[in-house]
Amino acid sequence: MQLTVHADDLPAATAAATEAVAAAFSEWPGTSTVVGAEVLRADEAAHLAAHPAPLDLVDDTGAAKLLGVQRPRIAELAATPSLDFPRPVASLTRGRVFTRASIEAFNSRWERRTGRPPKNA
């Protein structure tokens, strides 16, 4: 959620923003938690909008290196719904592109199974 409030000072802006966020979350189904907030002056927000920070991206090859697997294994992992593999941020002619953070988060929760799966009889 991105929110803009106009106020004469920081305390007034904080109060207005807090009220607006509380109102928005009261209409959201389920449970929601605010995990952070960033306060910017209008000129700072305009500068950031004009100069966004670059994303730290990896392609299939980079994702494979981060996970310690061969490149074809990335397609297998992505095709296994139970693993909840990250979605690519883009699919290009040369392949998919992921955020490094999403691949690292997957790696931290992935329960690897070594060896070949048993054959079905």
Side-chain angles (χ1 to χ4, degrees):
M1 168 191 281
Q2 186 172 3
L3 173 69
T4 302
V5 297
H6 300 278
D8 294 330
D9 56 28
L10 185 57
T14 302
T18 301
E19 290 174 19
V21 169
F25 277 112
S26 71
E27 297 179 19
W28 192 275
T31 303
S32 301
T33 303
V34 176
V35 295
E38 182 177 25
V39 178
L40 301 172
R41 293 187 322 261
D43 61 322
E44 293 171 327
H47 179 77
L48 285 176
H51 304 91
L55 293 174
D56 191 4
L57 303 175
V58 295
D59 60 4
D60 285 336
T61 302
K65 286 180 183 178
L66 287 170
L67 297 176
V69 298
Q70 298 293 317
R71 187 174 179 270
R73 181 73 171 124
I74 297 300
E76 294 171 4
L77 294 171
T80 307
S82 63
L83 292 179
D84 193 27
F85 194 76
R87 285 183 164 170
V89 294
S91 293
L92 307 174
T93 304
R94 296 187 52 116
R96 296 166 299 185
V97 180
F98 305 91
T99 62
R100 178 182 301 274
S102 69
I103 297 298
E104 289 172 345
F106 173 79
N107 195 28
S108 70
R109 69 176 186 274
W110 180 32
E111 294 182 26
R112 297 171 188 250
R113 295 188 183 133
T114 58
R116 291 182 175 258
K119 291 184 179 179
N120 293 336

